[in-house]
């Protein structure tokens, strides 16, 4: 199946190197098996995502986290986060249990390509990678930035070529270039010229000394960084899962938030 997947990627993205993909893609990345889940699982997950986003958008919720936001020296850049993931497990009764919210999740591109290779229907039937293109353009608009020509994009991580899923960076790059965007894959510590940065680096608050330049560019608004520390604070910091399980936390919000609490 590994060779079949590589052949699919090369056919879909001729700019990719078969030799490089052969070195990057592990047989353990692929599975012969399919797992069928009941529709209610999808509905529960969708409702949770909607509820958490409603909470994230509310001024009262953001005000409750304002002291932490100020303490961390971050601010709302306007844009949000592409490629977010809400990771669930099924419990013994078949109900969903949230494991984490991840603002810089992996596997959107590779997962999409696997479904295409296997000719399986997508869990979200009307999804296409063009929605990612729309999301990036929306991120720029939310930061009140026009889309320049040429549009320069960077995919960043710590030593990206050594990352376990570097192959996905190459697939993203192939998509971005197909859309006419100048795209580089770079170490976050390098001087990066880009209008938009797809961030896979895991110093989520950009608090480490080596993140200094990236943090300054983010705070100045010089770049559109997605995902970014503000979004991480609102949704993906593990402390939020503790907060959402704490009655005292919800007691600080208006009674109208009871319905959101129940859905979470």
């Amino acid at each position: 199946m590994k060779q079949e997947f590589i052949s699919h990627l090369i056919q879909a993205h001729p700019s990719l190197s078969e030799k490089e993909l052969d070195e990057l893609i592990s047989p353990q990345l692929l599975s012969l098996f399919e797992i069928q889940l009941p529709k209610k699982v999808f509905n529960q997950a969708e409702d949770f995502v909607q509820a958490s986003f409603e909470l994230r958008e509310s001024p009262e919720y953001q005000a409750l986290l304002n002291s932490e936001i100020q303490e961390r020296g971050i601010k709302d850049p306007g844009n949000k986060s592409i490629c977010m993931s809400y990771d669930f497990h099924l419990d013994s009764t078949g109900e969903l249990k949230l494991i984490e919210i991840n603002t810089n999740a992996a596997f959107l591109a590779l997962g999409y390509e696997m479904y295409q290779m296997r000719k399986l229907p997508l869990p979200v039937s009307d999804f296409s990678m063009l929605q990612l293109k729309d999301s990036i353009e929306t991120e720029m608009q939310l930061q009140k930035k026009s889309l320049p020509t040429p549009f320069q994009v960077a995919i960043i991580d710590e030593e990206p070529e050594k990352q376990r899923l570097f192959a996905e960076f190459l697939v993203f790059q192939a998509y971005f270039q197909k859309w006419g965007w100048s795209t580089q894959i770079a170490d976050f510590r390098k001087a990066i010229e880009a209008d938009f940065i797809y961030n896979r680096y895991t110093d989520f608050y950009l608090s480490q000394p080596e993140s200094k330049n990236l943090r300054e560019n983010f705070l100045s608004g010089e770049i559109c960084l997605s995902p970014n520390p503000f979004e991480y604070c609102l949704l993906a910091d593990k402390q939020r899962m503790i907060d959402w399980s704490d009655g005292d936390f919800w007691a600080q919000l208006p009674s109208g938030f009871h319905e959101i609490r129940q859905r979470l």
Side-chain angles (χ1 to χ4, degrees), residues 200-252:
R200 290 277 285 264
Y201 175 46
T202 57
D203 176 14
F204 301 112
Y205 283 118
L206 305 180
S207 58
Q208 300 302 313
E210 58 267 31
S211 305
K212 180 175 181 291
N213 289 339
L214 186 60
R215 179 183 177 89
E216 289 176 352
N217 288 335
F218 160 67
L219 291 174
S220 69
E222 186 174 324
I223 55 171
C224 183
L225 182 69
S226 183
N228 60 68
F230 185 76
E231 198 70 14
Y232 179 79
C233 183
L234 294 184
L235 287 174
D237 190 318
K238 302 304 182 288
Q239 179 61 42
R240 300 294 81 83
M241 294 174 68
I242 297 172
D243 292 340
W244 298 351
S245 302
D246 183 358
D248 291 339
F249 179 83
W250 291 99
Q252 300 174 73

Side-chain angles (χ1 to χ4, degrees), residues 47 51-52 54-55 58 60-61 244 246-264:
D47 185 60
S52 62
E54 289 170 21
L55 185 65
S58 67
E60 296 91 343
Y61 174 70
W244 298 351
D246 183 358
D248 291 339
F249 179 83
W250 291 99
Q252 300 174 73
L253 292 166
S255 58
F257 282 80
H258 176 74
E259 188 263 349
I260 292 179
R261 179 186 180 185
Q262 292 299 110
R263 290 160 67 195
L264 296 180

Side-chain angles (χ1 to χ4, degrees), residues 37-248:
L37 297 176
K39 180 69 173 178
K40 73 167 188 175
V41 168
F42 177 85
N43 293 337
Q44 287 175 341
E46 187 176 51
D47 185 60
F48 179 91
V49 172
Q50 289 175 344
S52 62
F53 186 72
E54 289 170 21
L55 185 65
R56 177 254 182 268
E57 289 287 88
S58 67
E60 296 91 343
Y61 174 70
Q62 293 191 26
L64 195 55
L65 298 178
N66 189 57
S67 60
E68 180 177 346
I69 291 167
Q70 296 298 320
E71 182 180 338
R72 294 187 181 279
I74 57 179
K75 64 178 184 179
D76 183 0
N79 67 295
K80 294 179 171 62
S81 171
I82 59 166
C83 301
M84 284 187 68
S85 171
Y86 295 74
D87 296 342
F88 298 98
H89 288 185
L90 286 179
D91 67 18
S92 59
T93 66
E95 299 298 316
L96 287 183
K97 178 180 179 181
L98 181 69
I99 303 303
E100 69 170 349
I101 298 176
N102 190 349
T103 47
N104 73 340
F107 227 72
L108 172 66
L110 287 179
Y112 176 80
E113 298 294 353
M114 287 182 185
Y115 273 87
Q116 298 301 301
M117 178 194 73
R118 296 287 301 277
K119 296 181 172 54
L120 294 171
L122 295 170
V124 181
S125 59
D126 61 349
F127 175 81
S128 82
M129 290 298 284
L130 285 175
Q131 290 187 27
L132 176 62
K133 179 177 184 288
D134 292 342
S135 294
I136 291 173
E137 292 173 349
T138 299
E139 289 285 273
M140 293 288 289
Q141 294 166 5
L142 287 170
Q143 204 173 328
K144 298 182 170 51
K145 293 180 181 289
S146 59
L147 215 66
T149 304
F151 183 40
Q152 297 185 85
V153 177
I155 302 166
I156 66 165
D157 205 335
E158 182 176 7
E159 298 185 294
E161 66 283 352
K162 294 184 179 180
Q163 295 297 321
R164 180 167 166 266
L165 290 179
F166 180 61
E168 182 165 65
F169 295 177
L170 297 174
V171 173
F172 275 122
Q173 183 181 45
Y175 271 110
F176 295 166
Q177 290 175 338
K178 192 179 297 184
W179 299 332
W181 299 348
S182 172
T183 307
Q184 60 176 309
I185 301 172
D187 188 288
F188 76 96
R189 289 162 290 202
K190 293 183 178 179
I192 300 168
E193 290 190 15
D195 306 297
F196 178 88
I197 292 181
Y198 171 32
N199 178 25
R200 290 277 285 264
Y201 175 46
T202 57
D203 176 14
F204 301 112
Y205 283 118
L206 305 180
S207 58
Q208 300 302 313
E210 58 267 31
S211 305
K212 180 175 181 291
N213 289 339
L214 186 60
R215 179 183 177 89
E216 289 176 352
N217 288 335
F218 160 67
L219 291 174
S220 69
E222 186 174 324
I223 55 171
C224 183
L225 182 69
S226 183
N228 60 68
F230 185 76
E231 198 70 14
Y232 179 79
C233 183
L234 294 184
L235 287 174
D237 190 318
K238 302 304 182 288
Q239 179 61 42
R240 300 294 81 83
M241 294 174 68
I242 297 172
D243 292 340
W244 298 351
S245 302
D246 183 358
D248 291 339

